[in-house]
Amino acid sequence: MPTRNEYMFLADLAGEAERYTDVVANIKLIIDNYSAQLTIDERSLLSIAYKNITNDLRNSWRVIDSLEKLQASRSSSASARHLSLVRRQRDKIEKELMNVCKDIVSALDKQLLPAARPGEEAVFYSKMKGDYYRYLAEFAHKRDRERFGDYSLNAYKLAYKHALATLEPLHPTRLGLALNFSVFYHDVRKSPERACHLAKSAFDDAVMSVDPSEIIMDQTMRDSMTILQLLKDDLILWSTEI
């Protein structure tokens, strides 16, 4: 059996080749054969792999959804047949996307979250759970959207409560959680008011915690500054909707 480092080498190699399903497979072998308590590098690689897989599927779904609306606006026997084929393709993508999201949520519930250390690691995984339930809520059939939205909300709430208690306001994981949680309120709950309130609170807390004389512009700080800019951009955009 390959060593843990060899599985990680293979996962890294797959990531370089953009074979993200192979990345997931190798990290899962680490979890199954060694430990569900992943290193930061292992955890980051797993997160990036799932994000790339789901982003491709979400983008495909949006394209097909737009084409379906266009096809539905036409009236002819050929258009009706084409509309049926478009819907079949959309259903196929939805099924793939649902399977991927449920796969990572299952791994989080059964292995990663139970093994997570309190603090940043637990916040990171709870945020991931909120993210993938949010994706499910975005494209699921109407009857399932509210259920997935509730699951996402509960995961985000748990993550945010833990983040407020254990992480500094400028920590990139806490800021990333605030960014995604606010997107949930805007996109899933259709509430720009709550989205702006959460984003502004996180932004203000982070800015007020900064001591300019003590800033060290390392990678962590650069990550935090990038997320702060995204929060600011969203606040500007969403405030026009209120």
Side-chain angles (χ1 to χ4, degrees):
M1 185 176 69
T3 66
R4 183 172 190 146
N5 285 340
E6 286 170 339
Y7 278 132
M8 183 58 180
F9 173 78
L10 290 170
D12 251 328
L13 196 64
E16 290 293 331
E18 298 184 0
R19 292 180 58 84
Y20 297 111
T21 54
D22 290 346
V23 174
V24 170
N26 280 291
I27 299 297
K28 281 186 172 182
L29 286 169
I30 291 175
I31 295 170
D32 293 338
N33 295 314
Y34 290 97
S35 172
Q37 199 168 79
L38 300 178
T39 67
I40 292 176
D41 288 341
E42 291 165 352
R43 184 185 73 189
S44 177
L45 202 53
L46 182 70
S47 174
I48 290 168
Y50 272 112
K51 186 172 183 179
N52 276 283
I53 293 169
T54 51
N55 278 353
D56 285 347
L57 289 168
R58 290 167 75 206
N59 289 336
S60 297
W61 185 88
R62 290 187 187 106
V63 170
I64 297 297
D65 188 57
S66 297
L67 290 173
E68 182 184 353
K69 290 182 174 69
L70 179 64
Q71 203 68 45
S73 67
R74 297 170 177 168
S75 56
S76 70
S77 57
S79 294
R81 175 61 178 164
H82 289 164
L83 180 60
S84 174
L85 294 172
V86 170
R87 284 175 175 165
R88 186 184 302 176
Q89 185 64 27
R90 189 199 63 188
D91 289 343
K92 181 182 177 182
I93 295 169
E94 284 179 1
K95 186 176 180 180
E96 288 181 37
L97 186 49
M98 183 168 289
N99 287 340
V100 173
C101 291
K102 287 185 174 181
D103 182 56
I104 180 57
V105 166
S106 176
L108 288 163
D109 278 338
K110 294 177 181 177
Q111 295 168 299
L112 298 173
L113 274 165
R117 290 172 285 254
E120 194 270 343
E121 190 174 343
V123 172
F124 184 92
Y125 286 138
S126 292
K127 170 188 167 293
M128 276 187 76
K129 185 175 176 180
D131 290 341
Y132 286 95
Y133 272 128
R134 172 164 60 88
Y135 300 158
L136 285 168
E138 285 175 352
F139 73 86
H141 293 293
K142 191 173 182 180
R143 64 181 180 273
D144 295 321
R145 278 180 205 156
E146 187 171 350
R147 175 167 59 91
F148 288 133
D150 289 342
Y151 291 158
S152 179
L153 178 62
N154 290 336
Y156 279 137
K157 279 184 173 179
L158 182 65
Y160 206 62
K161 181 179 178 180
H162 197 54
L164 292 176
T166 61
L167 301 179
E168 295 297 320
L170 202 57
H171 196 290
T173 300
R174 175 168 162 175
L175 287 174
L177 168 61
L179 177 68
N180 289 14
F181 197 1
S182 60
V183 169
F184 165 85
Y185 276 125
H186 181 270
D187 291 358
V188 177
R189 287 296 192 244
K190 308 300 181 186
S191 175
E193 294 87 357
R194 296 190 76 171
C196 282
H197 176 77
L198 178 58
K200 187 176 187 306
S201 176
F203 184 91
D204 290 346
D205 287 347
V207 171
M208 289 172 61
S209 72
V210 173
D211 184 345
S213 65
E214 296 181 1
I215 289 181
I216 300 174
M217 195 54 69
D218 56 7
Q219 186 58 51
T220 299
M221 182 58 72
R222 283 193 287 272
D223 290 344
S224 296
M225 292 301 172
T226 298
I227 300 170
L228 280 173
Q229 185 59 53
L230 291 172
L231 282 168
K232 183 178 180 181
D233 292 343
D234 283 345
L235 275 168
I236 293 170
L237 180 63
W238 295 338
S239 63
T240 62
E241 301 174 19
I242 301 174

